[in-house]
Amino acid sequence: MSSQQSEGAVQQATASTEQSPIQYLAPRILGDQAVFWEAAKAGRFLIKRCKACGKAHWFPRALCPFCMGETDWEEASGMGEIYTYSITRKARPQPFVIAYVTLDEGPKMMTNIVDCDPASVRIGQRVRLVFKATEGDGPPVPMFRPVEV
């Protein structure tokens, strides 16, 4: 391999490992989800809680998945703990972490762990909500980042 070819290979490898900002797709807003996405635009994270059995749940829906009772919106703390996770290395130019986070209010939520080195993520790690901007004028999507110790 010539020195020019070698230099080109190094430049190409460097370019492929640089992390660029991820462009998140805007969610489709359907029916009664509009309340959730409007709150997200205002920086508020909402979950649903059953009026009958009192259990909180995620994904927000009109009827409780535990007892089929009616539900109300409530603001959640935005705090939780990583229940399990996986690092995906091939789907994008840089690795990303997809995880189930147990919210302090009880429900488990599938989400991304962001703003950290994927190798530093651990089961049981405390995380805090962060909203990430989406394409166009779409509402931000809820994700989590590790709590600083």
Side-chain angles (χ1 to χ4, degrees):
M1 181 185 281
S2 73
S3 65
Q4 267 187 326
Q5 288 174 320
S6 176
E7 186 177 308
V10 168
Q11 287 175 345
Q12 186 176 21
T14 302
S16 67
T17 59
E18 288 178 8
Q19 293 193 3
S20 58
I22 296 172
Q23 178 77 35
Y24 298 106
L25 297 175
R28 285 183 40 207
I29 300 172
L30 305 171
D32 62 348
Q33 297 172 3
V35 172
F36 176 84
W37 295 114
E38 286 303 314
K41 285 181 183 178
R44 296 174 45 235
F45 180 56
L46 301 181
I47 60 173
K48 287 276 197 142
R49 186 171 299 274
C50 181
K51 294 179 189 179
C53 71
K55 292 183 181 178
H57 61 271
W58 180 266
F59 186 82
R61 48 195 165 263
L63 296 177
C64 173
F66 304 106
C67 73
M68 300 304 287
E70 291 183 20
T71 60
D72 279 330
W73 291 103
E74 73 174 48
E75 190 162 357
S77 67
M79 299 296 294
E81 184 176 287
I82 296 173
Y83 176 75
T84 191
Y85 70 96
S86 180
I87 301 173
T88 303
R89 300 183 192 284
K90 294 187 178 188
R92 293 189 182 147
Q94 68 257 11
F96 67 97
V97 180
I98 188 163
Y100 274 104
V101 167
T102 303
L103 302 174
D104 282 357
E105 292 77 13
K108 287 181 179 60
M109 173 183 178
M110 184 179 278
T111 186
N112 289 96
I113 307 299
V114 297
D115 302 336
C116 67
D117 176 5
S120 71
V121 173
R122 298 286 178 262
I123 291 173
Q125 187 173 21
R126 295 289 296 162
V127 290
R128 175 186 318 276
L129 176 79
V130 59
F131 283 107
K132 292 293 184 176
T134 60
E135 64 187 2
D137 64 348
V141 291
M143 297 186 183
F144 288 80
R145 67 174 169 215
V147 172
E148 306 304 323
V149 180

